[in-house]
Amino acid sequence: MQNHFCKTPLWEAGQTLAAVAGGSLPAEIVIINAKLVNVCTAEIQENISVAIAKGRIALVGDAEHCIGPQTEVIDAEGQYIAPGFLDGHIHIESSMLSVGEYARAVVPHGTTGIYPDPHEICNVLGLPGVECMIEDSKRTPLKTMFVTPSCVPAVPGFEDTGSFVGPSDVAKTMEWDHIVGLGEMMNFPGILSGTDHAHGIVGETLKAGKTVTGHYSMPETGPGLNAYIASGIRCCHESTRAEDALAKMRLGMYAQLREGSAWHDLHEVSKAITQHKVDTRFVCLISDDTHPHTLTSQGHLDYLLRRALEEGIDPITAIQMVTINTAQCYQMDHELGSITPGKCADIVFLKDLEHMEVTRVLIDGSVAAQNGQMCVPIPPYTYPDWAQHSMHVRDEITPESFRIQADTDQDSVTVRVIEVIPARVGDYERHVKLPVTDGKLESDTTQDILKTFVFERHHETGKFGAGFVKGFGIQCGAMASTVAHDAHNLLVVGTNDEDMALAANTLIRCGGGMTAVQNGKVLGCTPLPIAGLMNDKPVEEVAALVAELEEAWKTIGCQMPSPFMTMALIPLACLPELRLTNRGLVDCTTFQFAPLIVKE
């Protein structure tokens, strides 16, 4: 695969690199006095120098003969150097930042390359939205290697999205310079049942010789997982049990261990390697979804490395999981992922291997960040007007919009309830008795049961789904979000109809985002005018808005981490067990619509 993400292609730089390594040409840059984290051999090499030219590495070892009068010498002063960190699965939209601001947030933490799946914006704006993000990325030094969204919609037939992507669309994108593979194939039911649509999308990617990324969220490691991998899918980030991750590794699939703002899977899935004597070449660390205040307060992949160490993973092994393993997963290890001759000069300086403190970041041989700050300016980019007006709800939303009729003469009925799990992506289907009042069903805070609605917001269809959710602990108030995976319709949860209407209308007015209200007052709001998903303000400003929103959630009674991210998964019909889309409740174990009221 040709790499469009390096300063100079190897075929153009090779002759110069050979001359620099041999000493007949001076290097542009030489790093001296470094301890090399050699991810190829899993060892630390002392007193190593690295010669760089044309944005690539010419020599690793003794580089004294590469230094000329004009060579820039960087003294590592005994610090460690490692390959630039690579995040193998990330949704930039989940950070709520533009690509430029995302880059400014993560590069100082050692991240030099990411493999973003822009299926959030694609579900709202289609492939033109993806093209906007690609244009946004070109202004940054961060290597932004996109994968084409595979599931628009996530599970066809169960929700209404803003767009549609089929095999012919995927085939066209495989010719785009910035596309290196296929985004997570969430439609595993389509793969397992052999639909032409799902296999056609995978097939077009395989024809192009590019990587197909996966999403196999079922706790099953037998025929289904084998079939999924056999279809051509190379990696999966949806392991929540150690046995899931281990099974995938044993079958030659890259197990991407996730630790994001809300999904804290690493403690459990790391046991796949800490409690088994296995080779870790098929393991990567990924963040998946990370909020801006997490990036500003904890870091990015450097934070994941620290978490890996806390779980008992060896530092060198952990670094391999964000460098060479990731590059190999995407068939790009001939260009990225190691500090070896010919590779891109993407290098991270670390004060030590205990705290993974990043002091300097080189991308293509140039210093991109130092001491926690970007060293290069990022030019502005403005998303087109059509990308900033994506709220198209047909009907006026009033308190009456949230009435749920029981259609029964009984005093109470048993209903299906979605019970969310803090810090996890899964949920439970519960059957709960609710009283019937004047022929209607209401929230029941004594049982922690809240009304939940999803309104279609892309094509003014007027479709909506209604249900109930448990687990947020809210006694009074409502929350709304247009970050509602993956169709990103308007999601509203609350204890009373008046607050729910206020929350919904607040987001309609500001062009999308997330909000929390109580007793007729907006306690916190994060406007996300770009597709209802992102904001182009500086990362510090967006992080402050999100932090304010988190405090608002606490005020109305919710104590779970990143609750709005947990809430955003209520409509995601490719995750077990029960979900609510704008078309209704979906049983995500049988992939059938389920009635709200359980017949007894």
Side-chain angles (χ1 to χ4, degrees), residues 241-411:
R241 307 180 306 169
E243 56 263 42
D244 298 333
L246 184 59
K248 289 165 186 173
M249 293 157 55
R250 285 172 170 165
L251 295 173
M253 171 180 263
Y254 284 85
Q256 298 170 312
L257 311 187
R258 172 174 54 195
E259 189 79 359
S261 293
W263 326 132
H264 301 168
D265 295 331
L266 191 58
H267 175 68
E268 178 60 32
V269 294
S270 65
K271 296 173 185 175
I273 53 179
T274 59
Q275 296 184 3
H276 298 269
K277 293 183 178 180
V278 294
D279 194 308
T280 58
R281 74 182 72 187
F282 282 100
V283 185
C284 305
L285 294 173
I286 61 98
S287 63
D288 196 3
D289 299 299
T290 308
H291 275 166
H293 60 299
T294 302
L295 297 174
T296 56
S297 64
Q298 295 177 326
H300 184 219
L301 291 174
D302 57 335
Y303 170 67
L304 268 64
L305 289 172
R306 290 190 286 273
R307 283 288 298 114
L309 267 58
E310 290 173 356
E311 297 299 337
I313 297 174
D314 174 79
I316 299 176
T317 301
I319 289 173
Q320 288 175 318
M321 294 176 184
V322 295
T323 56
I324 193 167
N325 293 8
T326 305
Q328 288 174 341
C329 175
Y330 283 92
Q331 306 172 76
M332 295 179 70
D333 53 303
H334 63 299
E335 298 272 36
L336 307 170
S338 65
I339 299 178
T340 50
K343 308 302 185 296
C344 297
D346 302 338
I347 299 172
V348 174
F349 289 66
L350 298 165
K351 185 173 290 187
D352 57 51
L353 298 186
E354 288 75 42
H355 303 96
M356 297 292 177
E357 182 181 344
V358 176
T359 61
R360 184 188 283 119
V361 181
L362 270 61
I363 299 179
D364 290 333
S366 297
V367 177
Q370 193 158 345
N371 297 323
Q373 300 295 321
M374 288 290 291
C375 296
V376 294
I378 297 179
Y381 173 79
T382 301
Y383 281 76
D385 186 70
W386 53 264
Q388 301 191 51
H389 293 89
S390 64
M391 295 297 291
H392 306 292
V393 179
R394 189 186 74 181
D395 301 316
E396 179 186 2
I397 293 183
T398 67
E400 287 70 30
S401 303
F402 299 95
R403 302 289 167 83
I404 301 178
Q405 296 297 130
D407 294 328
T408 180
D409 56 3
Q410 297 177 337
D411 295 336

Side-chain angles (χ1 to χ4, degrees), residues 51-65:
I52 298 169
K54 300 282 187 182
R56 291 180 177 268
I57 297 166
L59 177 142
V60 179
D62 182 355
E64 186 176 351
H65 64 288

Side-chain angles (χ1 to χ4, degrees), residues 473-529:
I474 292 168
Q475 294 300 305
C476 179
M479 308 81 68
S481 179
T482 53
V483 180
H485 302 286
D486 274 324
H488 298 292
N489 286 305
L490 175 58
L491 170 65
V492 189
V493 176
T495 66
N496 65 86
D497 299 343
E498 291 73 19
D499 278 348
M500 294 175 77
L502 173 60
N505 286 310
T506 297
L507 296 190
I508 291 172
R509 284 193 295 271
C510 72
M514 302 183 301
T515 189
V517 308
Q518 187 179 61
N519 294 326
K521 180 181 178 181
V522 176
L523 302 182
C525 181
T526 302
L528 301 174

